[in-house]
Amino acid sequence: MCEYCGCQALETIDELAQEHEPVVTLISRVRDARRDGAIARMAELAREITSVLGPHTQVEEHGLFPPMAAEFPEQIAALEAEHRRIESVLGEADGPFLTDPGWPVRLIEALDLLREHILKEQDGVFPAALATLDPDDWEVVEKARAEAGSGLPRPGA
């Protein structure tokens, strides 16, 4: 992932970026499962992605995005709309996905969007946050992280 602007020197941004890494790996595994026709495996992996994205999204939407919305209102609104679309399809992994022949296609489309979304965050949001947020804003982001926890697996878990 990106390391060109120095934004990952901030622990909060670094953790958000680190959460992208297992998601990208899981997206690849979902593609493999789709190729193999393993719909139940796709759903299992979708639930794993959700477990990483839950805290990640909470930190963004309750900490990082609000102070950025004043300067980048359209971009932040678009990112939040993408969150909702991706969450909606991932959430179907807990439903009757095995009987819906369209779900695997919707999931792959949502994961394509997620991959693009990750790149927008890495290459746009995180560097912009470094330039835009003030110390008080970063305290709010840290508070959001403390409340959300981490989406990364704990060692030994």
Side-chain angles (χ1 to χ4, degrees):
M1 296 289 176
C2 137
E3 295 180 8
Y4 65 87
C5 71
C7 62
Q8 290 182 350
L10 289 170
E11 184 177 341
T12 301
I13 295 296
D14 185 50
E15 188 165 18
L16 288 167
Q18 285 181 35
E19 287 169 343
H20 286 158
E21 293 177 22
V23 169
V24 170
T25 299
L26 290 165
I27 290 171
S28 177
R29 291 180 185 161
V30 170
R31 293 183 193 290
D32 292 343
R34 172 71 171 134
R35 184 193 62 235
D36 297 341
I39 306 306
R41 177 72 176 140
M42 290 177 70
E44 176 186 328
L45 293 163
R47 289 188 293 271
E48 288 183 45
I49 292 170
T50 298
S51 72
V52 175
L53 290 182
H56 179 93
T57 300
Q58 186 174 338
V59 171
E60 289 177 344
E61 292 189 359
H62 297 279
L64 193 63
F65 288 178
M68 296 183 75
E71 190 163 339
F72 307 103
E74 293 173 11
Q75 294 87 343
I76 296 302
L79 291 166
E80 289 177 335
E82 289 174 1
H83 284 171
R84 299 296 82 74
R85 182 168 171 217
I86 293 161
E87 289 168 347
S88 174
V89 176
L90 288 172
E92 294 176 26
D94 285 328
F97 59 89
L98 290 173
T99 60
D100 181 356
W103 182 74
V105 172
R106 284 194 309 279
L107 179 61
I108 294 299
E109 289 171 352
L111 295 180
D112 288 345
L113 175 61
L114 177 55
R115 187 66 182 101
E116 292 171 19
H117 182 91
I118 287 170
L119 293 174
K120 289 176 196 174
E121 290 182 355
Q122 296 282 148
D123 295 338
V125 174
F126 298 164
L130 183 64
T132 305
L133 275 63
D134 65 31
D136 290 338
D137 296 329
W138 286 112
E139 286 184 28
V140 172
V141 176
E142 290 295 330
K143 182 180 180 209
R145 172 55 75 188
E147 291 173 359
S150 175
L152 295 171
R154 289 178 298 221

